[in-house]
Amino acid sequence: MRKILFVSPTAKLGGAERVMQTIAHYLLQQGWEVTFYIMSRGSQSGWEELQKFDNFNFIVKEYKSEKTSLLSFLYNIISLNRKSKFHYIFSSHSHTNAALSFLKKIDILPDAKLVGRESTIVFERFYGAKRRIFKILYNYFYGSHDLLICQTELMKKSLICSLEKLPAKNIQVIPNPLSIDRIDSGLKESVVKLRDLTVKNIVACGRLVPVKNFSLLINVLSRLILEGYLTHLYIVGDGVDRKLLCDLSTSLKLDNYITFVGHQENTAQWYKIADVGVISSIKEGFPNVILEMMASGTKNIVTTPCTGDLDTLPEVIISEDHSEEALYLAVKSVLRKSNDHGEIYRKYIETHRTVEMFWKTLETKIKNKVTD
């Protein structure tokens, strides 16, 4: 039985964790023994499907943060690898990537194929002290991965230009995968009831944090309502900005036009009802929400230019820039046309973004060991 270890700072399901979870589910179905090591903050919801498998091992630590868990983490990873002899070790956060690379560099993980995945465009998102810390991690701890994955060409170029060197001997672009089975399961369990079938539904999803820039979308909605467009905005997700965004909605007299749905395990049911799915982020590694919308039946998708390779997605509208005016014009143009690109989106996912394709590409890139 082939064995793989996934490492994550927490069990909270953000974009990076969902990608690892998606890969883990596929490998479990293929008969692999999968171990997921969670460094800190205890259990979270959303792991029930993986826990149904007999070949899944879930190790969850209760430390308050990954920093306080570091010594325990290093000891446990060494012990786990000695016991299980993993064929692959996979992580998707810069600090866990760095720690694992360091262990391989000092010959603690000599046999396992070490795969790191970059979760964001680090040097375009962080500045000051955080940026300096990341430079140290990349310059002195990275370098031992058998494969370092970037989600887009932009991410790869940014990393190499910022460091002025290759952070790994084998750095490759492999687009994010999507679990179509998980999406279809969510669609079957849909319980969303629409209030008014004559209203165009706009759906956005993500953590309510500054980088997602939901305030921009709320301001765009205000302009659309003032122009007479019959629209309703559903914001799926929760976070520290919730009160700020609710207050903004109230100040713009939009309480009857916006529903803050909160955190949802089944997001596909909300994407299904969307006439327009909108991503308003300032910066992303790659917004997997777009892929989930494409697979779930969203009719049209509009996004800010928050990352690279967005222009490779069929019929996805990219606003001219991150301004309110640009996003307003992009959403308005879609509402006026009333197109339905659902079938085109779904076909793209089925032919370009499956987990099977992702994993086969990963193994091929490790075998070839040549950076493009």
Side-chain angles (χ1 to χ4, degrees), residues 167-229:
K169 293 180 181 179
N170 189 13
I171 176 171
Q172 304 283 349
V173 175
I174 307 180
N176 290 346
L178 186 71
S179 172
I180 296 175
D181 289 343
R182 183 174 66 83
I183 293 293
D184 288 346
S185 177
L187 293 174
K188 288 178 183 177
E189 297 170 3
S190 177
V191 294
V192 175
K193 302 295 182 182
L194 296 178
R195 298 177 180 179
D196 187 345
L197 296 178
T198 65
V199 170
K200 296 292 186 181
N201 298 305
I202 301 173
V203 175
C205 179
R207 291 175 298 127
L208 306 189
V209 294
V211 74
K212 300 297 182 180
N213 210 14
F214 287 117
S215 59
L216 174 68
L217 180 54
I218 291 173
N219 284 317
V220 166
L221 178 70
S222 178
R223 293 180 64 175
L224 292 170
I225 296 298
L226 288 173
E227 278 206 32
Y229 285 92

Side-chain angles (χ1 to χ4, degrees), residues 83-222:
K83 179 182 177 181
S84 296
K85 299 294 182 184
F86 295 108
H87 296 88
Y88 286 86
I89 298 177
F90 191 112
S91 64
S92 193
H93 299 80
S94 297
H95 41 311
T96 52
N97 289 347
L100 291 167
S101 178
F102 174 74
L103 289 179
K104 192 171 180 73
K105 187 174 290 190
I106 60 176
D107 212 29
I108 297 296
L109 305 174
D111 299 320
K113 298 294 184 185
L114 183 60
V115 180
R117 174 183 171 274
E118 295 296 292
S119 59
T120 191
I121 306 176
V122 172
F123 296 108
E124 294 182 26
R125 183 169 174 181
F126 299 106
Y127 298 92
K130 278 191 176 181
R131 185 185 179 96
R132 290 193 290 273
I133 291 170
F134 278 119
K135 282 250 182 179
I136 292 170
L137 290 180
Y138 281 94
N139 282 320
Y140 296 102
F141 291 86
Y142 269 61
S144 301
H145 290 95
D146 294 280
L147 176 64
L148 186 63
I149 298 172
C150 291
Q151 301 172 49
T152 65
E153 288 290 347
L154 176 65
M155 182 180 286
K156 178 181 173 181
K157 290 176 182 177
S158 174
L159 200 55
I160 294 172
C161 289
S162 298
L163 296 171
E164 298 181 341
K165 68 173 186 177
L166 292 174
K169 293 180 181 179
N170 189 13
I171 176 171
Q172 304 283 349
V173 175
I174 307 180
N176 290 346
L178 186 71
S179 172
I180 296 175
D181 289 343
R182 183 174 66 83
I183 293 293
D184 288 346
S185 177
L187 293 174
K188 288 178 183 177
E189 297 170 3
S190 177
V191 294
V192 175
K193 302 295 182 182
L194 296 178
R195 298 177 180 179
D196 187 345
L197 296 178
T198 65
V199 170
K200 296 292 186 181
N201 298 305
I202 301 173
V203 175
C205 179
R207 291 175 298 127
L208 306 189
V209 294
V211 74
K212 300 297 182 180
N213 210 14
F214 287 117
S215 59
L216 174 68
L217 180 54
I218 291 173
N219 284 317
V220 166
L221 178 70
S222 178

Side-chain angles (χ1 to χ4, degrees), residues 61 68 113 213 225 235 271 283 289 331 355:
K61 299 299 180 180
T68 57
K113 298 294 184 185
N213 210 14
I225 296 298
I235 297 180
Y271 304 147
K283 190 66 67 177
V289 167
V331 175
V355 194

Side-chain angles (χ1 to χ4, degrees), residues 237-272:
D238 213 339
V240 296
D241 276 1
R242 179 159 186 152
K243 185 179 185 306
L244 182 151
L245 295 171
C246 288
D247 289 346
L248 175 62
S249 173
T250 299
S251 70
L252 294 173
K253 300 180 180 179
L254 294 174
D255 289 346
N256 292 328
Y257 302 95
I258 298 179
T259 300
F260 289 90
V261 177
H263 174 74
Q264 298 283 305
E265 293 295 340
N266 181 5
T267 53
Q269 62 181 328
W270 292 97
Y271 304 147
K272 181 181 179 181

